[in-house]
Amino acid sequence: MIKSLIALAFATCATFASANAQSYPSKPITIIVPFAAGGPTDVLARTLGDRMRVALGQTVIVENVTGAGGTIGVTRAVRAAPDGYTVSFGHLGTHVVNGAIYPLPFDLLNDLEPVGQIGANPMLIVSKNAVPAKNLKELIAWLKANESKATLGTAGVGSGSHFSGVYFQSLIGTKGQYVPYRGTGPAMQDLVAGQIDLIVDQASNSMPQVQGGKIRAYAVTAPKRIAAAPEIPTVDEAGLPGFHILLWSGVWVPKGTPKDIIAKLNAAMVEALGDAGVQKRFGELGLELPTRAQMTPEALGAHQKAEAAKWWPMIKAANVKPEG
Ligand code: MLT
């Protein structure tokens, strides 16, 4: 009798979950972006969300939950109901590097389920126009001459702009001060205004300002130049060989989200990435699309774990702390 009741209970739950998935999405979906509006993560999420709305036939809302290098927003997503209506948007910094810096109240590699990789871009070393340097070697000399007076904008400890800045300064032996913002959108505003000196920034965030002559780019952290900005040399050409960073972004949902709901979200993401308008926008921003094989949930999960194996030893050796 008991066994048949338990079997009935499981069958009922399975039917309920399946019915839920069949009717999914039946209400708006929220994408949590862990940085301020106007930055590269926000722009990427909104570009993608606008097109996923069409594929899903449901409103997609972007909510900016900022602070602590993105960990506040990711924590909010981890704690959300595993029903497919809360999605965590982030990148190498928020979903890998922060695991080696912050005492997170969850398991960064296992308490979120991967949905798929969105795209990747290298970083650009950019400065305010008033910095008296015309190439990377002159910039490095200026940073050394200005010791700790120079300022580097970041999106908080552990953000892409922060760990890229730490890596950059460790290679050139300087100790410029990090100025944290709630995202590199606000940091860029201060760079254009000349309030800070430098950002090692996602290319997608800096490109519009570089092309508008508002800031100066010195090099791209990749072995080849960005097709949309062939005038910017690689770090190898500019005198800092091997300083390669490719900041990739992805989408996750809370652990326990039903597999067929993850499959629906992944299908909508793949359709959005196949959209000509999305691809054009990505190209203009210097964002590389993942291959179809890289777009699967399994591929993102494997990539995230491989990146943790690569970056965590380096970050822990650098003894980077949440307080900076
Ligand atoms: C980062 O620095 O991690 C991000 O680019 C910040 C942002 O997206 O605002």
Side-chain angles (χ1 to χ4, degrees):
M1 178 63 172
I2 294 292
K3 278 185 180 174
S4 55
L5 281 174
I6 291 170
L8 178 64
F10 273 107
T12 308
C13 289
T15 308
F16 180 72
S18 165
N20 251 358
Q22 281 161 13
S23 62
Y24 175 86
S26 58
K27 62 181 182 179
I29 295 165
T30 298
I31 296 179
I32 293 180
V33 168
F35 296 110
T41 307
D42 181 69
V43 166
L44 199 48
R46 289 178 193 276
T47 303
L48 195 86
D50 283 351
R51 184 57 185 75
M52 284 179 70
R53 177 177 49 78
V54 175
L56 292 164
Q58 192 49 259
T59 304
V60 176
I61 299 160
V62 170
E63 186 180 353
N64 303 88
V65 180
T66 65
T71 55
I72 304 292
V74 175
T75 303
R76 172 83 69 83
V78 166
R79 290 178 171 158
D83 57 10
Y85 291 103
T86 303
V87 171
S88 176
F89 199 99
H91 57 46
L92 169 59
T94 55
H95 287 70
V96 173
V97 168
N98 281 345
I101 296 174
Y102 290 87
L104 298 173
F106 56 87
D107 178 343
L108 187 56
L109 300 184
N110 295 296
D111 285 348
L112 286 165
E113 306 263 7
V115 174
Q117 197 171 161
I118 302 298
N121 63 165
M123 310 300 276
L124 283 182
I125 303 169
V126 294
S127 81
K128 66 184 183 185
N129 283 335
V131 168
K134 292 293 176 283
N135 58 50
L136 185 58
K137 286 183 176 163
E138 288 181 15
L139 176 69
I140 292 171
W142 182 83
L143 286 167
K144 288 181 174 174
N146 284 275
E147 273 304 314
S148 60
K149 280 186 297 185
T151 50
L152 290 84
T154 78
V157 173
S159 62
S161 46
H162 174 260
F163 74 78
S164 300
V166 170
Y167 188 4
F168 175 58
Q169 292 213 97
S170 71
L171 291 174
I172 66 174
T174 56
K175 297 188 182 311
Q177 297 169 44
Y178 298 106
V179 180
Y181 294 80
R182 290 196 166 275
T184 43
M188 183 53 68
Q189 290 171 2
D190 270 5
L191 188 73
V192 169
Q195 301 300 314
I196 53 174
D197 299 319
L198 196 73
I199 306 178
V200 184
D201 187 24
Q202 286 193 56
S204 57
N205 193 49
S206 288
M207 289 271 282
Q209 304 301 341
V210 172
Q211 288 163 342
K214 304 282 184 54
I215 59 175
R216 184 178 307 124
Y218 296 86
V220 56
T221 64
K224 62 182 175 49
R225 297 189 179 199
I226 296 172
E231 75 284 0
I232 303 175
T234 68
V235 284
D236 309 89
E237 295 167 323
L240 197 56
F243 177 45
H244 295 162
I245 298 173
L246 187 66
L247 196 124
W248 50 271
S249 293
V251 172
W252 289 260
V253 288
K255 183 168 70 174
T257 303
K259 292 294 179 211
D260 35 10
I261 287 181
I262 292 175
K264 279 191 175 181
L265 278 170
N266 178 269
M269 183 205 88
V270 170
E271 182 181 318
L273 291 172
D275 178 86
V278 170
Q279 293 185 356
K280 180 175 180 293
R281 179 87 172 116
F282 274 34
E284 288 164 353
L285 293 172
L287 281 156
E288 297 162 16
L289 277 172
T291 63
R292 183 62 188 83
Q294 288 171 330
M295 291 180 193
T296 67
E298 297 74 20
L300 176 58
H303 186 59
Q304 185 186 15
K305 288 180 169 60
E307 288 280 87
K310 170 185 170 185
W311 285 96
W312 281 6
M314 289 163 66
I315 299 289
K316 288 174 178 171
N319 199 26
V320 178
K321 296 296 179 203
E323 53 278 5

PDB file of all heavy atoms in Angstrom, residues 205-222:
ATOM      1  N   ASN A 205      32.537  46.831 -25.001  1.00  0.00           N
ATOM      2  CA  ASN A 205      32.191  48.045 -24.248  1.00  0.00           C
ATOM      3  C   ASN A 205      32.968  49.253 -24.757  1.00  0.00           C
ATOM      4  O   ASN A 205      32.467  50.364 -24.802  1.00  0.00           O
ATOM      5  CB  ASN A 205      32.486  47.817 -22.761  1.00  0.00           C
ATOM      6  CG  ASN A 205      31.888  48.878 -21.868  1.00  0.00           C
ATOM      7  OD1 ASN A 205      30.701  49.210 -21.988  1.00  0.00           O
ATOM      8  ND2 ASN A 205      32.698  49.450 -20.990  1.00  0.00           N
ATOM      9  N   SER A 206      34.219  49.025 -25.140  1.00  0.00           N
ATOM     10  CA  SER A 206      35.082  50.158 -25.521  1.00  0.00           C
ATOM     11  C   SER A 206      34.990  50.554 -26.989  1.00  0.00           C
ATOM     12  O   SER A 206      35.223  51.715 -27.343  1.00  0.00           O
ATOM     13  CB  SER A 206      36.552  49.790 -25.219  1.00  0.00           C
ATOM     14  OG  SER A 206      36.786  49.797 -23.838  1.00  0.00           O
ATOM     15  N   MET A 207      34.628  49.584 -27.832  1.00  0.00           N
ATOM     16  CA  MET A 207      34.693  49.848 -29.283  1.00  0.00           C
ATOM     17  C   MET A 207      33.954  51.119 -29.711  1.00  0.00           C
ATOM     18  O   MET A 207      34.505  51.951 -30.426  1.00  0.00           O
ATOM     19  CB  MET A 207      34.156  48.646 -30.045  1.00  0.00           C
ATOM     20  CG  MET A 207      35.081  47.459 -29.976  1.00  0.00           C
ATOM     21  SD  MET A 207      36.272  47.480 -31.286  1.00  0.00           S
ATOM     22  CE  MET A 207      35.210  46.895 -32.596  1.00  0.00           C
ATOM     23  N   PRO A 208      32.690  51.323 -29.277  1.00  0.00           N
ATOM     24  CA  PRO A 208      31.980  52.532 -29.733  1.00  0.00           C
ATOM     25  C   PRO A 208      32.718  53.818 -29.361  1.00  0.00           C
ATOM     26  O   PRO A 208      32.803  54.756 -30.151  1.00  0.00           O
ATOM     27  CB  PRO A 208      30.623  52.437 -29.014  1.00  0.00           C
ATOM     28  CG  PRO A 208      30.454  50.987 -28.687  1.00  0.00           C
ATOM     29  CD  PRO A 208      31.838  50.482 -28.414  1.00  0.00           C
ATOM     30  N   GLN A 209      33.324  53.840 -28.156  1.00  0.00           N
ATOM     31  CA  GLN A 209      34.030  55.058 -27.709  1.00  0.00           C
ATOM     32  C   GLN A 209      35.354  55.226 -28.443  1.00  0.00           C
ATOM     33  O   GLN A 209      35.776  56.347 -28.738  1.00  0.00           O
ATOM     34  CB  GLN A 209      34.290  54.990 -26.188  1.00  0.00           C
ATOM     35  CG  GLN A 209      33.065  54.787 -25.338  1.00  0.00           C
ATOM     36  CD  GLN A 209      32.019  55.881 -25.499  1.00  0.00           C
ATOM     37  OE1 GLN A 209      32.316  56.990 -25.975  1.00  0.00           O
ATOM     38  NE2 GLN A 209      30.785  55.580 -25.136  1.00  0.00           N
ATOM     39  N   VAL A 210      36.028  54.102 -28.731  1.00  0.00           N
ATOM     40  CA  VAL A 210      37.287  54.183 -29.499  1.00  0.00           C
ATOM     41  C   VAL A 210      36.983  54.724 -30.894  1.00  0.00           C
ATOM     42  O   VAL A 210      37.636  55.660 -31.373  1.00  0.00           O
ATOM     43  CB  VAL A 210      37.954  52.792 -29.592  1.00  0.00           C
ATOM     44  CG1 VAL A 210      39.148  52.821 -30.557  1.00  0.00           C
ATOM     45  CG2 VAL A 210      38.406  52.320 -28.214  1.00  0.00           C
ATOM     46  N   GLN A 211      35.963  54.155 -31.516  1.00  0.00           N
ATOM     47  CA  GLN A 211      35.621  54.568 -32.894  1.00  0.00           C
ATOM     48  C   GLN A 211      35.103  55.999 -32.930  1.00  0.00           C
ATOM     49  O   GLN A 211      35.228  56.686 -33.945  1.00  0.00           O
ATOM     50  CB  GLN A 211      34.614  53.573 -33.500  1.00  0.00           C
ATOM     51  CG  GLN A 211      35.294  52.234 -33.812  1.00  0.00           C
ATOM     52  CD  GLN A 211      34.321  51.083 -34.011  1.00  0.00           C
ATOM     53  OE1 GLN A 211      33.162  51.168 -33.598  1.00  0.00           O
ATOM     54  NE2 GLN A 211      34.784  50.010 -34.636  1.00  0.00           N
ATOM     55  N   GLY A 212      34.597  56.487 -31.805  1.00  0.00           N
ATOM     56  CA  GLY A 212      34.141  57.875 -31.731  1.00  0.00           C
ATOM     57  C   GLY A 212      35.242  58.836 -31.317  1.00  0.00           C
ATOM     58  O   GLY A 212      35.014  60.035 -31.156  1.00  0.00           O
ATOM     59  N   GLY A 213      36.461  58.299 -31.106  1.00  0.00           N
ATOM     60  CA  GLY A 213      37.597  59.158 -30.747  1.00  0.00           C
ATOM     61  C   GLY A 213      37.551  59.679 -29.321  1.00  0.00           C
ATOM     62  O   GLY A 213      38.299  60.576 -28.935  1.00  0.00           O
ATOM     63  N   LYS A 214      36.685  59.094 -28.469  1.00  0.00           N
ATOM     64  CA  LYS A 214      36.506  59.579 -27.093  1.00  0.00           C
ATOM     65  C   LYS A 214      37.547  59.018 -26.135  1.00  0.00           C
ATOM     66  O   LYS A 214      37.769  59.558 -25.054  1.00  0.00           O
ATOM     67  CB  LYS A 214      35.112  59.182 -26.559  1.00  0.00           C
ATOM     68  CG  LYS A 214      33.951  59.660 -27.433  1.00  0.00           C
ATOM     69  CD  LYS A 214      33.661  61.135 -27.210  1.00  0.00           C
ATOM     70  CE  LYS A 214      32.446  61.625 -27.981  1.00  0.00           C
ATOM     71  NZ  LYS A 214      31.224  60.839 -27.726  1.00  0.00           N
ATOM     72  N   ILE A 215      38.138  57.856 -26.506  1.00  0.00           N
ATOM     73  CA  ILE A 215      39.181  57.237 -25.679  1.00  0.00           C
ATOM     74  C   ILE A 215      40.212  56.649 -26.643  1.00  0.00           C
ATOM     75  O   ILE A 215      40.006  56.614 -27.852  1.00  0.00           O
ATOM     76  CB  ILE A 215      38.627  56.104 -24.778  1.00  0.00           C
ATOM     77  CG1 ILE A 215      37.972  54.997 -25.613  1.00  0.00           C
ATOM     78  CG2 ILE A 215      37.680  56.671 -23.730  1.00  0.00           C
ATOM     79  CD1 ILE A 215      37.524  53.793 -24.805  1.00  0.00           C
ATOM     80  N   ARG A 216      41.341  56.213 -26.103  1.00  0.00           N
ATOM     81  CA  ARG A 216      42.403  55.674 -26.971  1.00  0.00           C
ATOM     82  C   ARG A 216      42.622  54.193 -26.688  1.00  0.00           C
ATOM     83  O   ARG A 216      42.695  53.799 -25.507  1.00  0.00           O
ATOM     84  CB  ARG A 216      43.714  56.447 -26.739  1.00  0.00           C
ATOM     85  CG  ARG A 216      44.856  56.039 -27.657  1.00  0.00           C
ATOM     86  CD  ARG A 216      46.119  56.872 -27.426  1.00  0.00           C
ATOM     87  NE  ARG A 216      45.825  58.288 -27.514  1.00  0.00           N
ATOM     88  CZ  ARG A 216      46.109  59.147 -26.517  1.00  0.00           C
ATOM     89  NH1 ARG A 216      46.652  58.713 -25.391  1.00  0.00           N
ATOM     90  NH2 ARG A 216      45.793  60.420 -26.647  1.00  0.00           N
ATOM     91  N   ALA A 217      42.717  53.387 -27.721  1.00  0.00           N
ATOM     92  CA  ALA A 217      42.987  51.948 -27.568  1.00  0.00           C
ATOM     93  C   ALA A 217      44.441  51.677 -27.914  1.00  0.00           C
ATOM     94  O   ALA A 217      44.977  52.233 -28.864  1.00  0.00           O
ATOM     95  CB  ALA A 217      42.074  51.148 -28.485  1.00  0.00           C
ATOM     96  N   TYR A 218      45.061  50.789 -27.118  1.00  0.00           N
ATOM     97  CA  TYR A 218      46.488  50.489 -27.326  1.00  0.00           C
ATOM     98  C   TYR A 218      46.718  49.097 -27.895  1.00  0.00           C
ATOM     99  O   TYR A 218      47.657  48.868 -28.666  1.00  0.00           O
ATOM    100  CB  TYR A 218      47.240  50.638 -25.995  1.00  0.00           C
ATOM    101  CG  TYR A 218      47.222  52.057 -25.480  1.00  0.00           C
ATOM    102  CD1 TYR A 218      46.157  52.528 -24.717  1.00  0.00           C
ATOM    103  CD2 TYR A 218      48.248  52.950 -25.804  1.00  0.00           C
ATOM    104  CE1 TYR A 218      46.125  53.841 -24.264  1.00  0.00           C
ATOM    105  CE2 TYR A 218      48.221  54.258 -25.361  1.00  0.00           C
ATOM    106  CZ  TYR A 218      47.147  54.704 -24.585  1.00  0.00           C
ATOM    107  OH  TYR A 218      47.104  56.006 -24.147  1.00  0.00           O
ATOM    108  N   ALA A 219      45.897  48.133 -27.440  1.00  0.00           N
ATOM    109  CA  ALA A 219      46.106  46.761 -27.911  1.00  0.00           C
ATOM    110  C   ALA A 219      44.907  45.904 -27.546  1.00  0.00           C
ATOM    111  O   ALA A 219      44.155  46.213 -26.610  1.00  0.00           O
ATOM    112  CB  ALA A 219      47.378  46.177 -27.284  1.00  0.00           C
ATOM    113  N   VAL A 220      44.769  44.797 -28.269  1.00  0.00           N
ATOM    114  CA  VAL A 220      43.695  43.831 -28.006  1.00  0.00           C
ATOM    115  C   VAL A 220      44.343  42.559 -27.451  1.00  0.00           C
ATOM    116  O   VAL A 220      45.398  42.120 -27.938  1.00  0.00           O
ATOM    117  CB  VAL A 220      42.886  43.544 -29.287  1.00  0.00           C
ATOM    118  CG1 VAL A 220      43.745  43.048 -30.431  1.00  0.00           C
ATOM    119  CG2 VAL A 220      41.782  42.529 -29.020  1.00  0.00           C
ATOM    120  N   THR A 221      43.727  41.981 -26.417  1.00  0.00           N
ATOM    121  CA  THR A 221      44.342  40.832 -25.723  1.00  0.00           C
ATOM    122  C   THR A 221      44.044  39.527 -26.458  1.00  0.00           C
ATOM    123  O   THR A 221      43.433  38.596 -25.906  1.00  0.00           O
ATOM    124  CB  THR A 221      43.817  40.735 -24.279  1.00  0.00           C
ATOM    125  OG1 THR A 221      42.401  40.455 -24.355  1.00  0.00           O
ATOM    126  CG2 THR A 221      44.064  41.993 -23.495  1.00  0.00           C
ATOM    127  N   ALA A 222      44.463  39.458 -27.711  1.00  0.00           N
ATOM    128  CA  ALA A 222      44.181  38.274 -28.544  1.00  0.00           C
ATOM    129  C   ALA A 222      45.324  38.093 -29.536  1.00  0.00           C
ATOM    130  O   ALA A 222      46.059  39.037 -29.826  1.00  0.00           O
ATOM    131  CB  ALA A 222      42.863  38.478 -29.286  1.00  0.00           C
TER     132      ALA A 222
END
